[in-house]
Amino acid sequence: MHAYDAVIFDLDGTLTDSKPGILESTEYALNKIGFPVPDAAVLQKFLGPPLAESFMKYCGMDESQAALATEYYRETYNPGGWKNNAVYPRIRALLSELHGRGVFLAVATGKPLGNARKILEYFDLLPYFDAVSGPDLNDLHADKAALIRKVLPAGKRAVMVGDTAGDVLGARGAGVDSVAALYGYGDEGETRTAGPTHVVRNTDTLCALLCPDMPKPKGYFVTFEGVDGCGKSTQIAAMEQKLTQFGYTVRRTREPGGCPIAEEIRKIVLAKEDGGMCPETEALLFAAARAQHLKEVILPSVAQGKIVLCDRFVDSSLVYQGNARGLSREWVKEINRAALREGAPDATIYLRMSHTEALRRRLSVSDPDRIEQMGDSFQARTEAGYEELCRENPDRFVPVDAAQAPEKVAEDAFRALFARMKKEGVL
Ligand code: TYD
């Protein structure tokens, strides 16, 4: 059973790792106003308290200078700097679980309320909260205890979770228990001296404290497929970054390869010179590499609750060795049985692009490997093969128009995948 029926969270350094975006904009503001940038240990103290207060306390500014520096800060932070931020692992699942159990959830932050809401909304955390409090834009001296009292519900046993001494003292001022989140930005000594009720080192121990019987994280296996040149590498990298920022633990991998034995097989099967390899050998080598990769990397990572993003998987064999090389689909399935049953992907992002457009893009960037050297009709058969698989697996395939601008492709792919993961309780 959860010990508290109301939990109030600080935002920066507690729910999200907002350090990169905040420091980037702080340095910009200091340079523009002509004050020296303090060393890293001092800059770290800017994370959490209201900004103007830190400019005065750590840089020796007076009130009007601090107000101007805050304006400069907002010039880069407000347009997009705020997105340079990441939800801590397990936080989404914790909020979902507590919210589902009827626990009252709120945020009390030193960040201007509008910005705080914008960040919570962007990361899709806002729906879990019953209330959010933060200073208004012109308030340079927000008092944490007052911010906590603003969202404190009557008649509940509440706790405040925060990463700094200010949060702990604020909780005391508001008359509630506190959890010091040592994984954030607060100075450990100062935070402990403030006398928190509980101390946690990471979000796993935070989950154990607030939600003792919380289910283990669910893993998810996602493959990326498409014709040669459809932009898979760029898209997987973008997806990895976005999922990580949304608080997921990602394991990126590829086929053929992904582990030492399979990478050795990759060298043979993709060698540039054609050693007269017959299609059956080729198919068996891909399947052999896959068997190792599945057991050594994919299944254990999913079992650990990770989101596995794999560049190509068994669909590539069905399409390349089946449709394109002309081997029987049934036989290719047979030699890949494990990958089609216990190792079947939860979702396949299909980067849909015509083989002619893909060829045009490919020729402009790289030196083709043995399979990419196959002619136009081979590539046309791979395109047809993917379209066929997409029709046959409507529940698993997530088609995305890959001929759009890369940022738009990334956005469409992320939206579709995230919606699907949420629906399946992968948080
Ligand atoms: P890929 O790594 O996507 O190529 P690159 O990184 O050079 O863009 O894939 C290598 C090639 O291997 C590609 O042409 C598709 C082919 N392939 C198969 O024919 N069967 C398979 O099972 C797999 C995984 C890949």
Side-chain angles (χ1 to χ4, degrees):
M1 263 305 288
H2 43 273
Y4 294 98
D5 54 7
V7 186
I8 297 151
F9 291 91
D10 166 54
L11 179 56
D12 296 320
T14 301
L15 294 175
T16 69
D17 183 2
S18 44
K19 185 171 167 173
I22 294 178
L23 292 194
E24 181 184 271
S25 299
T26 304
E27 287 182 31
Y28 168 87
L30 286 166
N31 286 329
K32 182 154 179 182
I33 198 170
F35 272 70
V37 176
D39 64 31
V42 175
L43 271 182
Q44 174 98 356
K45 296 184 191 287
F46 277 69
L47 303 156
L51 197 59
E53 206 174 286
S54 300
F55 282 134
M56 292 185 265
K57 192 163 164 192
Y58 304 116
C59 304
M61 294 188 191
D62 62 27
E63 188 133 340
S64 68
Q65 288 168 325
L68 183 61
T70 303
E71 244 174 67
Y72 290 157
Y73 173 93
R74 289 175 186 155
E75 285 177 6
T76 62
Y77 190 76
N78 288 357
W82 60 276
K83 287 189 188 168
N84 195 357
N85 193 350
V87 178
Y88 284 109
R90 307 274 279 142
I91 287 291
R92 182 180 308 281
L94 174 66
L95 296 175
S96 165
E97 198 64 29
L98 292 174
H99 180 70
R101 295 177 189 198
V103 174
F104 177 96
L105 298 176
V107 170
T109 172
K111 211 180 201 70
L113 181 60
N115 280 346
R117 292 187 71 93
K118 188 165 69 176
I119 289 165
L120 293 169
E121 192 165 15
Y122 175 76
F123 287 113
D124 199 38
L125 298 179
L126 196 55
Y128 300 122
F129 291 105
D130 299 286
V132 183
S133 76
D136 64 44
L137 267 183
N138 304 317
D139 180 1
L140 303 184
H141 304 280
D143 168 49
K144 196 80 191 205
L147 291 166
I148 296 170
R149 274 194 294 268
K150 242 186 185 170
V151 292
L152 206 56
K156 292 203 185 275
R157 181 145 189 256
V159 65
M160 163 80 198
V161 185
D163 66 314
T164 63
D167 295 313
V168 174
L169 296 172
R172 167 126 5 96
V176 298
D177 284 1
S178 57
V179 180
L182 296 183
Y183 57 83
Y185 312 125
D187 174 88
E188 182 170 343
E190 281 175 23
T191 310
R192 282 187 185 275
T193 307
T197 321
H198 313 272
V199 169
V200 294
R201 283 232 162 259
N202 52 48
T203 54
D204 284 331
T205 44
L206 179 65
C207 291
L209 174 74
L210 296 177
C211 195
D213 47 358
M214 193 166 140
K216 279 208 166 88
K218 270 193 197 173
Y220 209 63
F221 178 29
V222 186
T223 60
F224 285 70
E225 296 280 358
V227 298
D228 283 318
C230 66
K232 272 184 296 93
S233 311
T234 310
Q235 291 305 325
I236 293 185
M239 185 69 88
E240 179 179 26
Q241 189 188 21
K242 199 76 187 268
L243 285 173
T244 305
Q245 288 190 321
F246 270 63
Y248 291 100
T249 305
V250 176
R251 175 73 161 84
R252 181 178 8 158
T253 187
R254 68 162 179 188
E255 288 211 342
C259 58
I261 291 173
E263 288 290 334
E264 284 304 311
I265 298 174
R266 179 184 177 95
K267 287 182 200 155
I268 302 170
V269 83
L270 296 184
K272 289 205 183 349
E273 63 284 357
D274 181 354
M277 188 184 293
C278 70
E280 287 79 3
T281 301
E282 183 181 280
L284 287 163
L285 285 173
F286 279 119
R290 180 164 302 127
Q292 187 72 30
H293 184 217
L294 190 62
K295 276 213 174 137
E296 194 174 323
V297 177
I298 298 171
L299 294 176
S301 301
V302 172
Q304 287 162 14
K306 293 183 183 159
I307 311 301
V308 175
L309 302 181
C310 187
D311 187 338
R312 297 198 180 280
F313 193 60
V314 66
D315 296 317
S316 286
S317 283
L318 296 176
V319 163
Y320 283 81
Q321 282 65 56
N323 297 70
R325 291 271 194 233
L327 293 173
S328 121
R329 168 80 70 97
E330 282 320 303
W331 182 71
V332 178
K333 281 188 172 173
E334 183 62 27
I335 61 172
N336 281 288
R337 206 159 42 186
L340 288 160
R341 293 196 188 159
E342 67 268 26
D346 294 302
T348 296
I349 304 291
Y350 169 34
L351 297 170
R352 180 181 257 156
M353 184 183 281
S354 75
H355 73 282
T356 45
E357 170 63 11
L359 177 67
R360 195 184 62 72
R361 295 183 182 208
R362 216 163 66 237
L363 290 181
S364 64
V365 290
S366 73
D367 187 17
D369 64 39
R370 193 175 62 82
I371 291 173
E372 286 173 338
Q373 287 165 11
M374 299 299 297
D376 194 50
S377 69
F378 181 92
Q379 300 296 348
R381 290 197 296 278
T382 65
E383 183 189 345
Y386 276 121
E387 289 299 318
E388 198 181 319
L389 283 178
C390 186
R391 280 192 302 275
E392 288 169 1
N393 299 279
D395 294 338
R396 175 166 65 86
F397 264 61
V398 180
V400 176
D401 175 4
Q404 308 175 91
E407 306 74 42
K408 180 71 171 66
V409 180
E411 196 186 314
D412 286 2
F414 175 75
R415 267 178 207 280
L417 183 63
F418 182 53
R420 194 180 164 105
M421 286 165 56
K422 267 203 312 184
K423 206 164 130 215
E424 295 181 28
V426 182
L427 296 169

